[in-house]
């Protein structure tokens, strides 16, 4: 067992919500993964920091698109893919938890032949959707498969009774969303269409996180919509001229990691994380199981309309983003329940500041550790300034993978000086514009589906829109009860309320 892997036999204390957290997380992966590279997002939207927010502070050079390669090429994996690959090989539960699903109800006329052609066109356009992985003496590598034909599988439940349709459909959606990918011989993307009535369908899209992130879902839906419109008129989707393919990104990343710019970013994070405490978390409700099941649930909520308006108003008045206000509220909550003034939170970042990556389908995100010292005597306004500055610094330095930072920390200070887990909770604020699926005149509604998985102790997702702020707390059911999740969100709303009231003066 590597020295950075926790011993599952080590007893872990529990505690109530109001007790000081003295426990460590039981994740059996190395600190950079425990962690959990999670995009956020999972399948709901993009969810990481928008590259436009970083354009004023990043000086990354454009990443030129390469001539489309012949099928069968083998290219390096990204740093994140290498880390995720190691995790995926540990258990089926880990692999399944990183499926990203999106489910849509389609009401109205649907040209199934055009949709089939559109799916094939999108898979042809974006190499990530037909990429597999292969083990080599030099480590895991990406391999491109040939373009596909008929990738959309169609199932007809329309001849069933209404009750039977409901049962069959729910079972089929759950099966498609949680079915394992093989990784080495078939694409890591599935498209399934279920006909439930003459003009009623359900579309299920499932892509594995190894080749996909939340930002990619917006690109995929946009291109699928355009390809459908073109297929109905015998048009064709143009080739990708400006977007960087995932294989190109991986090669450029490897080259870039040896540059002075990469060293500068590494130094930034090393300075931030020296003498890092154990990753902050919420005290557990129950004893930690020996093995990680990835079992989880989600608690969905909307901030009260008045509070959401005050968060946005406070951000304008303080000249910071609503993300900074919401993040500080979460940090203050963690300080309260953990008893730690030195708080760490995992922050997934889109890593799409470099021109040419906005239209890339692939897993590009980097998750970093945002650390803030929160003395109880510090004025709230000062804490907000620090949080806003740290967010800006994270965006400026997001391109370096966390594993490089961890390696440098070990090199400089020794592994004994580092905690077993760099972070145990995630904060994800989804700010980029939402992309809807469009299929001609049909009315499309995204269906709620929860595969009941969690990759960290807790992940707080927030969607900041002009008229509302909604959220979802994903939590491990191995560690927490639903009552604790609800209590955490109620307390988060109270902390946010106190925060904005403190900043009135």
């Amino acid at each position: 067992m590597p020295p950075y892997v926790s011993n599952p036999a080590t007893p872990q204390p529990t505690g109530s919500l109001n007790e000081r957290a003295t426990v460590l997380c039981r994740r059996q992966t190395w600190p950079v993964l425990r962690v959990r590279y999670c995009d956020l997002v999972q399948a709901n939207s993009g969810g990481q920091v928008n590259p436009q927010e970083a354009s004023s502070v990043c000086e990354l050079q454009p990443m030129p698109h390469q001539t489309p390669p012949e099928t069968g090429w083998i290219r390096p994996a990204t740093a994140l893919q290498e880390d995720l690959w190691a995790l995926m090989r540990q258990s089926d539960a880990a692999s399944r938890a990183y499926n990203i699903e999106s489910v849509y109800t389609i009401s109205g006329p649907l040209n199934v032949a055009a949709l089939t052609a559109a799916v094939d066109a999108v898979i042809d356009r974006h190499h990530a959707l037909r990429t597999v992985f292969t083990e080599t003496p030099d480590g895991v590598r990406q391999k491109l498969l040939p373009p596909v034909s008929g990738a959309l599988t169609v199932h007809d439940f329309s001849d069933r009774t209404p009750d039977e349709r409901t049962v069959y459909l729910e079972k089929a959606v759950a099966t498609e969303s949680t079915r394992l990918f093989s990784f080495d011989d078939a694409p890591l993307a599935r498209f399934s269409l279920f006909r439930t009535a003459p003009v009623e369908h359900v579309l299920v899209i499932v892509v594995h996180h190894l080749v996909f992130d939340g930002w990619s879902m917006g690109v995929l839906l946009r291109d699928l919509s355009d390809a459908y419109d073109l297929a109905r008129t015998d048009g064709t989707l143009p080739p990708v001229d400006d977007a960087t393919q995932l294989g190109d990104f991986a090669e450029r990343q490897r080259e870039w990691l040896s540059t002075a710019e990469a060293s500068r970013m590494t130094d930034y994070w090393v300075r931030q994380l020296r003498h890092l405490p154990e990753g902050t978390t919420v005290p557990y409700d129950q004893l930690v199981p020996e093995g990680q099941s990835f079992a989880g649930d989600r608690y969905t909520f909307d901030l009260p309309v008045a509070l959401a308006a005050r968060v946005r108003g406070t951000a304008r008045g303080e000249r910071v983003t609503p993300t900074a206000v919401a993040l500080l509220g979460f940090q203050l909550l963690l300080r309260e329940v953990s008893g730690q003034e030195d708080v760490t939170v995992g922050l997934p970042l889109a890593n799409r500041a470099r021109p040419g990556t906005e239209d890339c389908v692939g897993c590009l995100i980097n998750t970093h550790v945002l650390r803030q010292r929160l003395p109880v005597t510090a004025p709230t306004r000062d804490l907000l300034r620090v949080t806003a500055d740290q967010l800006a610094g994270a965006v400026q330095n997001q391109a370096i993978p966390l594993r490089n930072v961890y390696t440098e920390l070990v090199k400089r200070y020794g592994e004994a000086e580092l905690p077993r887990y760099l972070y145990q909770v995630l904060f994800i604020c989804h700010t980029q514009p939402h992309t809807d699926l469009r299929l001609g005149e049909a009315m499309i509604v995204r269906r709620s589906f929860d595969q009941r998985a969690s990759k960290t102790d807790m992940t707080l997702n927030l969607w900041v829109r002009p008229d509302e702020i909604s959220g979802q707390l994903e939590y491990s059911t191995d560690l927490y009860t639903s009552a604790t999740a609800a209590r955490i969100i109620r307390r988060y709303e109270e902390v946010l309320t106190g925060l904005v009231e403190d900043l009135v003066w």
Side-chain angles (χ1 to χ4, degrees):
M1 178 178 296
Y4 42 73
V5 176
S6 64
N7 183 350
T10 301
Q12 306 284 2
T14 60
S16 67
L17 185 63
N18 296 319
E19 292 174 346
R20 178 174 179 139
T22 59
V23 293
L24 306 178
C25 187
R26 85 297 188 209
R27 309 302 188 182
Q28 299 179 52
T29 55
W30 58 299
V32 208
L33 276 178
R34 181 339 219 176
V35 309
R36 289 313 119 105
Y37 291 107
C38 161
D39 42 22
L40 88 104
V41 203
Q42 300 306 309
N44 292 310
S45 70
Q48 295 84 27
V49 174
N50 195 310
Q52 281 73 30
E53 296 180 21
S55 60
S56 62
V57 294
C58 290
E59 299 178 355
L60 302 178
Q61 296 303 309
M63 187 176 287
H65 177 63
Q66 302 297 297
T67 302
E70 299 295 329
T71 59
W73 56 248
I74 294 180
R75 287 187 171 179
T78 67
L80 175 55
Q81 284 177 328
E82 290 178 338
D83 293 340
L84 282 177
W85 177 258
L87 180 62
M88 297 305 98
R89 310 307 284 182
Q90 290 185 11
S91 71
D92 288 348
S95 176
R96 185 178 293 109
Y98 283 84
N99 283 1
I100 299 176
E101 78 287 334
S102 208
V103 183
Y104 300 91
T105 297
I106 305 170
S107 302
L110 179 68
N111 186 327
V112 176
L115 181 58
T116 299
V119 168
D120 290 347
V122 168
I123 294 175
D124 185 26
R125 176 181 175 88
H126 295 289
H127 296 165
L129 300 179
R130 49 189 174 96
T131 291
V132 295
F133 293 83
T134 182
E135 292 276 10
T136 75
D138 297 322
V140 64
R141 294 291 184 265
Q142 303 183 67
K143 181 179 179 180
L144 182 64
L145 296 180
V148 298
S149 178
L152 177 68
T153 60
V154 181
H155 310 267
D156 193 346
F157 293 162
S158 61
D159 60 344
R160 307 283 183 177
T161 67
D163 288 343
E164 288 178 334
R165 279 200 302 269
T166 299
V167 172
Y168 274 75
L169 181 62
E170 293 304 316
K171 183 178 179 179
V173 170
T175 299
E176 285 302 300
S177 299
T178 58
R179 183 156 54 93
L180 295 171
F181 288 100
S182 66
F183 297 128
D184 56 2
D185 59 4
L188 305 189
R190 290 194 294 264
F191 298 80
S192 304
L193 183 69
F194 300 92
R195 185 170 184 254
T196 56
V199 290
E200 294 285 337
H201 296 80
V202 173
L203 177 66
V204 181
I205 301 172
V206 186
V207 191
H208 199 274
H209 193 25
L210 271 169
V211 295
F212 205 70
D213 57 21
W215 185 285
S216 300
M217 185 62 78
V219 179
L220 172 60
L221 295 179
R222 180 202 66 194
D223 287 357
L224 185 60
S225 301
D226 292 345
Y228 179 79
D229 288 340
L230 289 167
R232 291 195 302 162
T233 58
D234 296 324
T236 58
L237 196 65
V240 179
D241 292 326
D242 300 322
T244 300
Q245 297 284 8
L246 181 57
D248 297 334
F249 176 86
E251 288 193 335
R252 298 297 176 272
Q253 183 186 61
R254 293 213 171 201
E255 295 170 1
W256 176 81
L257 287 174
S258 62
T259 65
E261 182 184 45
S263 297
R264 177 187 60 77
M265 290 188 185
T266 302
D267 287 340
Y268 169 84
W269 288 110
V270 167
R271 291 194 302 271
Q272 295 290 317
L273 303 182
R274 187 180 182 184
H275 303 311
L276 190 70
E278 192 68 42
T280 311
T281 192
V282 175
Y284 301 156
D285 291 329
Q286 46 216 20
L287 290 174
V288 179
E290 290 188 0
Q292 183 178 353
S293 71
F294 290 89
D297 208 343
R298 299 175 185 177
Y299 181 88
T300 301
F301 63 96
D302 294 313
L303 289 187
V305 174
L307 176 57
R310 295 183 70 183
V311 168
R312 291 190 296 270
T314 296
R316 287 192 299 270
E318 298 295 325
R319 298 182 179 275
V320 300
T321 64
T323 300
V325 178
L327 173 58
L328 177 57
F330 190 47
Q331 292 170 324
L332 292 173
L333 170 64
L334 290 172
R335 181 186 70 179
E336 176 182 306
V337 301
S338 70
Q340 296 177 225
E341 291 188 353
D342 196 349
V343 171
T344 59
V345 176
L347 182 72
L349 296 160
N351 194 25
R352 293 172 184 261
R354 190 184 299 274
T357 56
E358 299 92 340
D359 293 325
C360 176
V361 167
C363 184
L364 274 60
I365 68 166
N366 281 329
T367 297
H368 281 289
V369 182
L370 206 63
R371 176 189 191 181
Q372 178 154 344
R373 297 169 179 84
L374 301 159
V376 293
T377 56
T380 302
R381 181 165 281 109
D382 291 351
L383 295 178
L384 180 59
R385 294 298 177 193
V386 173
T387 294
D389 288 345
Q390 288 184 334
L391 276 174
V395 170
Q396 290 175 358
N397 297 280
Q398 64 179 298
I400 195 74
L402 183 55
R403 62 138 67 167
N404 292 68
V405 178
Y406 179 80
T407 300
E408 187 64 22
L409 282 166
V410 171
K411 178 181 176 182
R412 295 189 191 184
Y413 308 117
E415 193 168 24
E417 294 298 316
L418 295 175
R420 287 190 293 176
Y421 305 115
L422 301 185
Y423 65 84
Q424 301 187 84
V425 296
L426 285 170
F427 174 85
I428 307 174
C429 193
H430 307 256
T431 57
Q432 67 259 43
H434 178 69
T435 301
D436 291 317
L437 176 63
R438 298 175 289 99
L439 297 175
E441 297 75 31
M443 182 177 71
I444 301 175
V445 177
R446 188 174 187 276
R447 288 170 55 112
S448 174
F449 176 81
D450 181 5
Q451 64 163 298
R452 304 180 73 84
S454 179
K455 305 166 194 67
T456 57
D457 291 3
M458 283 188 176
T459 298
L460 178 61
N461 288 278
L462 292 178
W463 288 265
V464 178
R465 302 182 179 93
D467 56 343
E468 66 175 354
I469 298 178
S470 58
Q472 188 178 79
L473 183 70
E474 179 184 289
Y475 61 95
S476 168
T477 51
D478 287 339
L479 306 177
Y480 304 108
T481 65
S482 58
T484 292
R487 194 159 61 246
I488 282 289
I489 293 306
R490 287 197 300 270
R491 185 55 187 152
Y492 178 61
E493 293 178 358
E494 294 169 356
V495 171
L496 268 182
T497 300
L499 190 163
V500 296
E501 288 178 350
D502 283 348
L503 294 172
V504 170
W505 307 103

